[in-house]
Amino acid sequence: MLLQVNESGQPHRPIVVGVVNCTPDSFFDGGAHADLLAHARRLVAQGADWLDVGGESTRPGADAVDAEAEWARIAPVVEALSAEVVISVDTSKPAVAARAAAAGAVVLNDVTGLRDAAMTAISERFLLTVVMHMRGTPRSMSALTDYADLTAEVRAHLVEAAGRARSPQVAIDPGIGFAKTARQSLRLLRDTDALVATGLPVYIGASRKSFIGRTLRLPDPEDRLPGSLAAVAAAWQRGARIFRVHDVAETRQHVDLLYAIDRSGELAAGQQTP
């Protein structure tokens, strides 16, 4: 098993997943790193437990790319680093997922939540699958934000999607910002405990996203690190333990201190380290 979990189904310790965008058009750092391998290794040095490697932007309105182009973007990172660190492949294409698994990736992160039967079959090649809630596609999702009961619908969707996965372990991601308004994204963070109650590991990807900008009037993603850390703290307090982030060093320190605070009551008198 990739994750050792507690009685609530969450990892025993915080998991920080570093984002490696091998794309020219991702909303925050697409095209910002000329040497992607150096960037990826820097994230590991800063404390990333996993690297989530993606070759197609899923920002609102993003254009799709074909499987060959997507694989060509991520292959150098996946092939070079899969023996050094846990590699998660961020893709909704079965062909890309299959090649990533063959190259050593052990986590499948599918933003479409295994809608594709072929992707469901391929999930058995991974140690863990992350299923995310999203309606439509990145190009259409901004118009698909009407819910009768947001949290209940997202939770039901994720439980159903998790039931299709064929990997030994499955984590659920509420899809902050994917077919959700800023207010709805805040609501899902507030209701993280309802997802934790499923007994499945909860995976939160809120880093630098537009809901922070809209809530705090920060149009530039460069200004959203404090808000990103606040989102992590809110989800942590409600039981989530896996966080997909751009800012690994800051998040690592943040969650490690939260973990130490939570464990402080368990430490023997005079013990100095968590």
Side-chain angles (χ1 to χ4, degrees):
M1 292 292 183
L2 182 61
L3 294 178
Q4 298 298 314
V5 299
N6 60 25
E7 63 280 358
S8 298
Q10 305 307 310
H12 282 293
R13 52 179 293 277
I15 303 296
V16 176
V17 182
V19 176
V20 181
N21 284 323
C22 305
T23 54
D25 57 344
S26 291
F27 81 95
F28 176 55
D29 62 353
H33 304 286
D35 188 334
L36 285 169
L37 278 176
H39 172 59
R41 288 194 168 103
R42 185 161 52 250
L43 295 182
V44 174
Q46 291 173 351
D49 298 288
W50 309 348
L51 297 177
D52 189 49
V53 184
E56 179 179 36
S57 175
T58 53
R59 63 177 173 76
D63 291 326
V65 300
D66 64 39
E68 285 298 322
E70 184 179 339
W71 174 247
R73 289 175 176 179
I74 69 173
V77 176
V78 176
E79 292 172 347
L81 297 183
S82 60
E84 301 177 22
V85 64
V86 171
I87 295 292
S88 164
V89 59
D90 180 358
T91 187
S92 59
K93 296 183 179 66
V96 175
R99 294 175 80 167
V106 297
V107 178
L108 171 61
N109 181 15
D110 180 8
V111 299
T112 67
L114 301 180
R115 288 181 202 161
D116 189 318
M119 187 68 100
T120 298
I122 287 168
S123 69
E124 70 181 6
R125 304 187 193 182
F126 294 85
L127 296 180
L128 182 142
T129 298
V130 181
V131 294
M132 195 191 80
H133 177 274
M134 178 178 69
R135 289 174 167 177
T137 68
R139 298 196 71 178
S140 66
M141 64 185 178
S142 295
L144 301 173
T145 58
D146 290 334
Y147 299 86
D149 186 329
L150 172 69
T151 301
E153 290 176 46
V154 169
R155 173 176 160 150
H157 170 97
L158 291 172
V159 169
E160 191 273 334
R164 292 197 299 272
R166 298 182 186 176
S167 55
Q169 292 184 300
V170 187
I172 56 174
D173 177 350
I176 301 297
F178 286 80
K180 285 94 177 173
T181 65
R183 186 181 296 273
Q184 289 166 340
S185 293
L186 294 171
R187 175 65 179 267
L188 284 171
L189 285 170
R190 191 194 74 178
D191 291 350
T192 298
D193 52 351
L195 302 178
V196 171
T198 65
L200 294 164
V202 175
Y203 183 106
I204 297 292
S207 179
R208 303 273 183 170
K209 285 187 174 177
S210 62
F211 83 96
I212 299 171
R214 292 194 177 99
T215 302
L216 302 179
R217 298 182 182 178
L218 298 171
D220 189 344
E222 288 284 352
D223 298 328
R224 298 175 190 164
L225 174 57
S228 298
L229 294 175
V232 168
W236 173 276
Q237 290 167 352
R238 292 159 174 82
R241 293 295 181 267
I242 312 175
F243 305 97
R244 180 186 185 273
V245 301
H246 300 89
D247 306 285
V248 167
E250 294 86 348
T251 306
R252 180 85 270 166
Q253 183 178 130
H254 187 72
V255 295
D256 283 352
L257 188 60
L258 291 171
Y259 179 58
I261 291 167
D262 284 355
R263 289 198 63 212
S264 63
E266 304 170 13
L267 301 179
Q271 188 170 343
Q272 297 300 309
T273 57

